[in-house]
Amino acid sequence: RPPHVRGVVLADSGRPAVGSLVRAVPRTWSPSLVVPGASSTADGTFEIFGVPPGTYFIIAGPTKAAPTMGAVVPLELGNRNAEGVRLVLNAGASVSGRIIMEGQTTSGELPDISAMRVNLVRDNNPTFLFTTSPTLTGNAFTITYIHPGDYRVSVNPILSISGAPPYS
């Protein structure tokens, strides 16, 4: 019988986080990826059954009381149950930046980059823990709700934007 993962989800105030979806996301992507999960109860506890041995990110999602909060904890699970996993919901970090493109359109104007988005994808599991910037303000962006981990940065679309004149 595969082990289970048991713990508690807390709001940043230290109170139990009720109704948070908690998932055991494998750190390595595979085409047959299975992501077991459970919801936290009234006292904030959760129990995820049937988690095969391996390395995971235990992720707690937002609740009605904390719709923009989340938590991520790495876990290496052997053949024994994992007890006492503690997830504290928080807003994560933010990062801001600017997109600068060289060149101009053939008509001499600066390129329209308003459709571009800056994305962060967790380096070793692109299926989960993805965050993106909202619409650019001029050439500036801010990405929020970033939780600890290794990410790859991408800017989409990077090539010619539909309907835009060619660049010189």
Side-chain angles (χ1 to χ4, degrees), residues 9-18 43-44:
V9 182
L10 302 170
D12 59 349
S13 65
R15 296 178 143 183
V18 181
D43 62 357

Side-chain angles (χ1 to χ4, degrees), residues 13-119:
S13 65
R15 296 178 143 183
V18 181
S20 178
L21 177 60
V22 183
R23 298 175 291 177
V25 179
R27 289 191 200 183
T28 305
W29 183 89
S30 82
S32 59
L33 188 70
V34 175
V35 182
S39 290
S40 60
T41 61
D43 62 357
T45 60
F46 68 90
E47 188 167 7
I48 305 172
F49 293 97
V51 183
T55 56
Y56 295 88
F57 292 109
I58 307 302
I59 302 170
T63 65
K64 288 182 183 178
T68 60
M69 302 259 185
V72 179
V73 172
L75 177 72
E76 189 161 333
L77 186 63
N79 291 317
R80 297 180 186 227
N81 297 332
E83 305 284 345
V85 175
R86 182 179 162 101
L87 295 155
V88 179
L89 299 177
N90 64 70
S94 297
V95 66
S96 297
R98 297 181 310 145
I99 295 176
I100 300 172
M101 287 185 64
E102 293 183 9
Q104 37 189 306
T105 64
T106 53
S107 64
E109 297 179 19
L110 293 175
D112 177 10
I113 61 172
S114 63
M116 289 185 168
R117 299 290 177 273
V118 178
N119 305 301

Side-chain angles (χ1 to χ4, degrees), residues 77-160:
L77 186 63
N79 291 317
R80 297 180 186 227
N81 297 332
E83 305 284 345
V85 175
R86 182 179 162 101
L87 295 155
V88 179
L89 299 177
N90 64 70
S94 297
V95 66
S96 297
R98 297 181 310 145
I99 295 176
I100 300 172
M101 287 185 64
E102 293 183 9
Q104 37 189 306
T105 64
T106 53
S107 64
E109 297 179 19
L110 293 175
D112 177 10
I113 61 172
S114 63
M116 289 185 168
R117 299 290 177 273
V118 178
N119 305 301
L120 295 181
V121 180
R122 186 158 304 262
D123 193 30
N124 51 358
N125 193 331
T127 309
F128 292 93
L129 307 173
F130 176 91
T131 186
T132 188
S133 67
T135 306
L136 293 174
T137 304
N139 67 341
F141 66 89
T142 299
I143 301 174
T144 55
Y145 314 119
I146 304 167
H147 288 89
D150 296 324
Y151 293 87
R152 290 189 185 264
V153 178
S154 68
V155 179
N156 296 312
I158 197 69
L159 300 175
S160 177

